[in-house]
Amino acid sequence: MHSIRSALLQAQAQLNSSPRLETVDARFESQLLLQHLLNAGRAWLIAHENDSLEDGMQARFEALVNRRVNGEPIAYILGSREFYGLNLTVTPATLIPRPDTEILVDTALAKILAGQHTQILDLGTGTGAIALAIAQQRPQAQVTGVDASRPALDVAISNSRQLHLANVHFTLSDWFNDLGNARFDVIVSNPPYIEETDAHLQQGDLRFEPLSALASGADGLDDIRRIIDGCLIHLKPQGWLMFEHGYNQAETVRELMAQTGLVNIETVRDFGGNDRVTIGKNPLIVSTHWD
């Protein structure tokens, strides 16, 4: 039987030597996998590093490590990912939430005043990460998350139940198609925005994530165009539309928003200083004219 320490060292060596992993913190990921398997914290692993690992548990640990060695995202192996302080279930049916998307949540929260009964829409919700983060931070808001994928929507619904958030609901819809005449104060989206021929789709975690949640036409902007084209029907007067997009797409997104009639258009940068979120406002105002 291996000790916990020797099992971890062996796993680290395997991860470090894997040609399928471009960059990896082998020590951290080995500990995460064993913590997941043993349902234990890091401090427990350190305190019990000389304990023996039963043969059956060792085999299960090696199986998890081999999945990671073959390049499978650790979020899918663990079945969860932290986002905006929330622990979310993730599956291969959903995109893995990423830290840069928290910029989109911050940008939305800046436009949603605390205590106001606002209507928020999250298009292409996936795990529900954006919708759930907004709902948790703005309990007076009513948040709707939509996705065209039933398996992804089931994950979002499960996450909302686990978090006990009553001010969010999810519905099946291909962007705006099944929303009728519903209108919202803020519409947010992290849509597919990678070029369909981008070589990165065959690298790293992207190889395992659903292509429909990643790629969008020759220039990556097909879905963003669809959303912008339909946004004014579903934005309330003075409502905001905001997207996450690629680092080199901000100028085009701003132009598309302006062509549609949105105003107060600006781009927000991510943690790495790259253009990441662009927002625009519906210029219409509520009529105060009475006959």
Side-chain angles (χ1 to χ4, degrees):
M1 289 191 293
H2 291 268
S3 69
I4 286 177
R5 183 174 184 275
S6 65
L8 287 171
L9 288 173
Q10 179 179 309
Q12 290 172 38
Q14 287 180 264
L15 294 176
N16 277 325
S17 63
S18 173
R20 295 179 179 271
L21 301 177
E22 297 173 358
T23 58
V24 62
D25 186 336
R27 182 170 180 268
F28 176 68
E29 291 198 359
S30 297
Q31 289 178 341
L32 277 182
L33 292 171
L34 191 53
Q35 287 172 221
H36 172 71
L37 186 61
L38 298 177
N39 193 26
R42 182 173 178 272
W44 188 93
L45 287 187
I46 294 171
H48 294 264
E49 65 175 11
N50 293 319
D51 289 6
S52 295
L53 204 57
E54 295 180 1
D55 289 342
M57 196 64 72
Q58 174 68 26
R60 291 171 62 190
F61 181 50
E62 290 175 357
L64 294 182
V65 172
N66 286 333
R67 288 171 64 184
R68 185 63 181 132
V69 165
N70 288 325
E72 186 175 348
I74 195 163
Y76 288 159
I77 299 172
L78 299 178
S80 65
R81 171 60 62 89
E82 187 273 338
F83 179 84
Y84 219 85
L86 305 175
N87 188 45
L88 302 176
T89 295
V90 298
T91 77
T94 65
L95 199 67
I96 299 169
R98 289 167 168 81
D100 280 339
T101 302
E102 294 188 357
I103 300 295
L104 178 57
V105 175
D106 286 338
T107 304
L109 292 175
K111 302 299 183 185
I112 306 168
L113 297 180
Q116 288 196 349
H117 295 274
T118 50
Q119 301 291 324
I120 315 299
L121 174 64
D122 175 26
L123 291 169
T125 196
T127 60
I130 296 167
L132 294 167
I134 293 173
Q136 195 267 342
Q137 293 292 318
R138 295 290 185 268
Q140 297 303 314
Q142 292 297 315
V143 184
T144 299
V146 306
D147 206 289
S149 164
R150 168 52 68 182
L153 207 66
D154 288 341
V155 174
I157 292 169
S158 175
N159 279 325
S160 70
R161 290 172 178 166
Q162 291 174 27
L163 295 168
H164 306 291
L165 292 170
N167 62 323
V168 60
H169 75 278
F170 297 96
T171 187
L172 194 68
S173 180
D174 182 10
W175 302 129
F176 296 116
N177 285 1
D178 297 301
L179 294 178
N181 296 319
R183 305 187 79 185
F184 302 88
D185 299 283
V186 176
I187 298 174
V188 300
S189 184
N190 177 19
Y193 56 74
I194 300 176
E195 297 174 8
E196 60 188 10
T197 57
D198 193 316
H200 291 93
L201 292 170
Q202 305 305 317
Q203 301 172 10
D205 288 358
L206 300 186
R207 292 170 297 163
F208 293 82
E209 295 181 89
L211 185 62
S212 61
L214 294 167
S216 184
D219 62 357
L221 294 169
D222 282 5
D223 287 302
I224 286 179
R225 288 190 182 92
R226 284 184 62 192
I227 295 170
I228 291 176
D229 286 347
C231 73
L232 290 180
I233 297 173
H234 297 280
L235 270 179
K236 291 182 181 180
Q238 302 291 288
W240 290 91
L241 173 69
M242 51 190 72
F243 290 106
E244 178 176 335
H245 52 67
Y247 73 95
N248 60 349
Q249 295 173 329
E251 183 177 355
T252 303
V253 172
R254 289 194 297 266
E255 290 173 356
L256 291 169
M257 284 184 166
Q259 290 168 11
T260 301
L262 298 178
V263 298
N264 293 26
I265 300 167
E266 61 179 294
T267 296
V268 180
R269 292 183 175 179
D270 62 22
F271 300 116
N274 299 307
D275 289 342
R276 186 58 61 193
V277 171
T278 295
I279 70 175
K281 186 178 186 181
N282 183 354
L284 296 178
I285 60 174
V286 179
S287 173
T288 57
H289 175 76
W290 291 275
D291 291 328

